[in-house]
Amino acid sequence: MPATPNAIIKDLPERFQKAKESGDLLFFPSTIHKHVEGGVEYEIRLCPALQHKPNLPTPHFDAAQDQKKAEIQQGKPDPFAPPYVPNLYIGELKDVEEDTDYVVLFNKFSVVPHHILLVTKEFHSQTAPLMSSDLVQAYQLILAARAAGQRFFAFYNCGNLSGASQPHKHLQLIPIEGDGPPIEKLARSVNLEVPNKPFTLNSLPYANHIYRLPSHLGPNSDAEELSHYLMSGFMGLLDLTISSIRHDPTYPTGPPSYNVLLTLEHIHLIPRREEWYVLKETQEKLSVNSLGYAGMLLVKSDSELEAVCKEGVSNILRGTGVGSVHDLQVQGNDGEQ
Ligand code: B4P
């Protein structure tokens, strides 16, 4: 029996506590360090406990692969396939428009309480673009959280170089304090002359494409209306992402990799050309996923934190992103594309 986004969000605190106490959900305490650079207040999360997280191999996957192949490649079963661990299972959602089913699970390796995964019930590849139903279900969860007085945002690590570690299609939703992730504050500060037109934050040293969602979208918007705006925004950004990638003659062959951030107000797409950044100071490899491009990097030791601050967050994000097309032109202000 499908649940509703409101019921999923309402039950999170109680279920999270139960999952943690059962030992099925592993919680890793962390501290946040603010790091101001280029007008952005980045949040670097230091989580030494993650050094003891079981080391799972990063699989490489392609759009054509099926679940069986994914399992063989990983050498282990798909953790997002049934039977679900009862304490990690929160409920199911059904997209009636597209007849797609989803399961909502707790992130087993939780750094932020209530971090959840929106997983397609049938196996779809993590290299596939988001579909209308993916976006609508994620947005409805964000809306439900907002109605309950909380702020969540969703992210999607798409492709081999995006920081994804699981090949089964999943979006992730994470609660955020204050008024949104650091990059969202920058996006919000842009004045758009033409609504519904993608824009870029030219002050960031890597290609990024953003679409502002209309402010009238809310709990009363039906799925058809949400789908219209979310899909037209996403498709426009995907075109720009592919075009940014085509400007890079050294971009690796294979399906494109990119990160997606979805907030109540914006969709962000950031093309990726590397998963890892090698820190010059320590030669340690830092994995960067969508959260890095939200302005929230994750480090696992004090030395890594120090090395990241020395290297500069924007240098790291430039290193794992794709050069901005804008770099080839004259530098200018943030603006429309
Ligand atoms: P992916 O898209 O494949 O990869 P990821 O978020 O980059 O996490 P990764 O697995 O690479 O972990 P990492 O050490 O970098 O997402 C897969 C998701 O499924 C992850 O959330 C994973 O934990 C979860 N998962 C794996 N096996 C599972 C299972 N059996 N059941 C349920 N869930 C399962 O990072 C460790 C954690 O920190 C990740 O959750 C990551 O999302 C999170 N994180 C990274 N940066 C962060 C930041 N700045 N702030 C807060 N959290 C952060």
Side-chain angles (χ1 to χ4, degrees):
M1 175 76 178
T4 62
N6 289 336
I8 299 258
I9 294 293
K10 184 171 150 285
D11 288 350
L12 286 183
E14 197 182 314
R15 285 176 180 257
F16 179 81
Q17 199 52 34
K18 195 170 162 219
K20 204 167 93 168
E21 282 166 10
S22 72
D24 288 334
L25 184 152
L26 306 175
F27 182 70
F28 301 93
S30 60
T31 48
I32 292 176
H33 298 255
K34 300 282 184 186
H35 173 81
V36 179
E37 210 184 290
V40 184
E41 193 180 64
Y42 291 102
E43 182 187 298
I44 307 176
R45 192 177 280 273
L46 171 61
C47 186
L50 267 180
Q51 289 171 15
H52 309 295
K53 177 186 162 192
N55 220 352
L56 308 170
T58 304
H60 274 232
F61 30 91
D62 62 61
Q65 99 186 145
D66 60 17
Q67 181 167 353
K68 197 73 205 150
K69 282 190 201 154
E71 288 178 8
I72 292 164
Q73 227 167 341
Q74 276 191 288
K76 66 178 182 61
D78 174 3
F80 302 155
Y84 305 113
V85 177
N87 286 311
L88 297 181
Y89 174 93
I90 307 168
E92 295 186 21
L93 293 170
K94 184 171 189 68
D95 190 282
V96 186
E97 303 269 317
E98 294 209 356
D99 196 22
T100 315
D101 295 313
Y102 296 86
V103 58
V104 182
L105 304 173
F106 276 119
N107 172 7
K108 181 177 174 64
F109 305 103
S110 179
V111 173
V112 173
H114 309 171
H115 179 160
I116 55 174
L117 312 175
L118 176 65
V119 178
T120 56
K121 253 193 117 174
E122 275 184 26
F123 183 88
H124 291 283
S125 170
Q126 190 75 0
T127 58
L130 292 175
M131 308 301 286
S132 165
S133 51
D134 303 331
L135 288 159
V136 170
Q137 294 302 318
Y139 198 77
Q140 284 179 333
L141 283 166
I142 297 172
L143 282 171
R146 192 52 184 213
Q150 297 159 48
R151 194 182 282 272
F152 272 66
F153 72 98
F155 60 96
Y156 180 55
N157 299 321
C158 184
N160 279 333
L161 310 171
S162 65
S165 65
Q166 294 296 336
H168 184 146
K169 195 178 201 188
H170 61 283
L171 289 89
Q172 305 190 51
L173 288 106
I174 194 164
I176 181 99
E177 283 177 13
D179 59 356
I183 289 305
E184 181 68 347
K185 294 176 196 159
L186 208 57
R188 212 179 279 137
S189 69
V190 173
N191 277 325
L192 286 185
E193 282 171 19
V194 185
N196 303 331
K197 203 165 173 242
F199 63 100
T200 191
L201 297 169
N202 290 326
S203 54
L204 300 175
Y206 50 85
N208 64 91
H209 306 289
I210 306 171
Y211 177 79
R212 181 164 298 161
L213 293 160
S215 54
H216 69 263
L217 292 186
N220 296 329
S221 307
D222 62 20
E224 199 181 331
E225 186 184 24
L226 292 179
S227 168
H228 169 76
Y229 286 108
L230 290 164
M231 261 326 256
S232 61
F234 178 76
M235 293 309 287
L237 298 179
L238 189 56
D239 278 352
L240 289 164
T241 295
I242 304 292
S243 152
S244 296
I245 285 172
R246 289 217 176 105
H247 270 86
D248 182 345
T250 61
Y251 193 84
T253 51
S257 292
Y258 53 91
N259 293 126
V260 182
L261 304 171
L262 174 66
T263 69
L264 263 189
E265 292 150 90
H266 294 103
I267 311 174
H268 303 236
L269 256 73
I270 303 100
R272 296 289 303 275
R273 58 160 298 122
E274 303 283 352
E275 173 181 1
W276 302 92
Y277 186 88
V278 181
L279 294 163
K280 293 191 185 72
E281 175 102 349
T282 58
Q283 292 302 302
E284 276 170 300
K285 280 167 80 191
L286 183 75
S287 172
V288 180
N289 70 7
S290 296
L291 291 176
Y293 286 89
M296 301 159 62
L297 280 173
L298 179 72
V299 295
K300 298 179 186 166
S301 66
D302 285 311
S303 64
E304 211 178 13
L305 173 63
E306 204 180 308
V308 164
C309 294
K310 269 201 185 150
E311 193 95 22
V313 174
S314 53
N315 283 334
I316 293 170
L317 298 179
R318 179 170 50 203
T320 51
V322 167
S324 165
V325 173
H326 189 79
D327 287 346
L328 307 171
Q329 303 158 2
V330 182
Q331 282 288 321
N333 296 324
D334 296 337
E336 290 156 48
Q337 296 180 326

